[in-house]
Amino acid sequence: QVQVVESGGGWVQTGESLRLSCEVSGLTFDEVGVGWFRQVAGRNREEVGCSVRSGGSTLYSRSLKGRFTISRDNAKNTVYLQMDNLKPEDTAVYYCAADSTVSLVRYSDGHAECGDEFRYWGQGTQVTVSS
């Protein structure tokens, strides 16, 4: 009943941009939290960023903030991940995850990230960045 569908992955060269889409159905989209994660081959999954809800906070990992931007289009029930200045180390399978609520992890310096306790996950889309 709940579906999370990613699209937009592909093959690009270093320095180029790519926009991934995540369409969520089966949840009240204005309230849904959406996270982007990625898994580099041979490494554990890491968080890219998340949108807590429509009109709410957008959070990013420290290392990716500034190059990656999350936005959402409520009319299309879609959250986007705009990736700019891509590097070979960005090559990974990118996953979208959604839930009616999200948890936050806060740090002493004020930085915050979403937790990974999302119930609904997309299948993933491959992004390959060549040098």
Side-chain angles (χ1 to χ4, degrees), residues 64-113:
L64 297 177
K65 185 177 177 64
R67 291 198 299 122
F68 288 15
T69 304
I70 294 171
S71 62
R72 59 198 297 159
D73 186 337
N74 292 331
K76 297 181 179 180
N77 288 1
T78 300
V79 173
Y80 302 99
L81 177 64
Q82 177 69 39
M83 304 183 292
D84 297 319
N85 192 24
L86 285 164
K87 307 176 186 298
E89 53 263 40
D90 296 320
T91 295
V93 177
Y94 284 74
Y95 296 92
C96 179
D99 209 336
S100 56
T101 60
V102 298
S103 61
L104 299 179
V105 180
R106 294 182 172 88
Y107 298 88
S108 61
D109 63 356
H111 177 74
E113 298 179 4

Side-chain angles (χ1 to χ4, degrees), residues 15-121:
E16 294 183 340
S17 298
L18 200 62
R19 189 178 74 166
L20 306 182
S21 299
C22 174
E23 184 175 3
V24 179
S25 61
L27 297 172
T28 302
F29 189 75
D30 285 354
E31 300 175 351
V32 70
V34 178
W36 285 99
F37 299 81
R38 70 182 186 182
Q39 187 164 23
V40 177
R43 297 184 179 183
N44 293 327
R45 185 183 66 204
E46 66 174 327
E47 182 175 329
V48 175
C50 63
S51 171
V52 176
R53 61 168 294 154
S54 178
S57 298
T58 303
L59 308 174
Y60 302 92
S61 69
R62 296 181 190 271
S63 62
L64 297 177
K65 185 177 177 64
R67 291 198 299 122
F68 288 15
T69 304
I70 294 171
S71 62
R72 59 198 297 159
D73 186 337
N74 292 331
K76 297 181 179 180
N77 288 1
T78 300
V79 173
Y80 302 99
L81 177 64
Q82 177 69 39
M83 304 183 292
D84 297 319
N85 192 24
L86 285 164
K87 307 176 186 298
E89 53 263 40
D90 296 320
T91 295
V93 177
Y94 284 74
Y95 296 92
C96 179
D99 209 336
S100 56
T101 60
V102 298
S103 61
L104 299 179
V105 180
R106 294 182 172 88
Y107 298 88
S108 61
D109 63 356
H111 177 74
E113 298 179 4
C114 289
D116 62 353
E117 300 86 7
F118 291 87
R119 288 182 292 171
Y120 311 107
W121 291 77

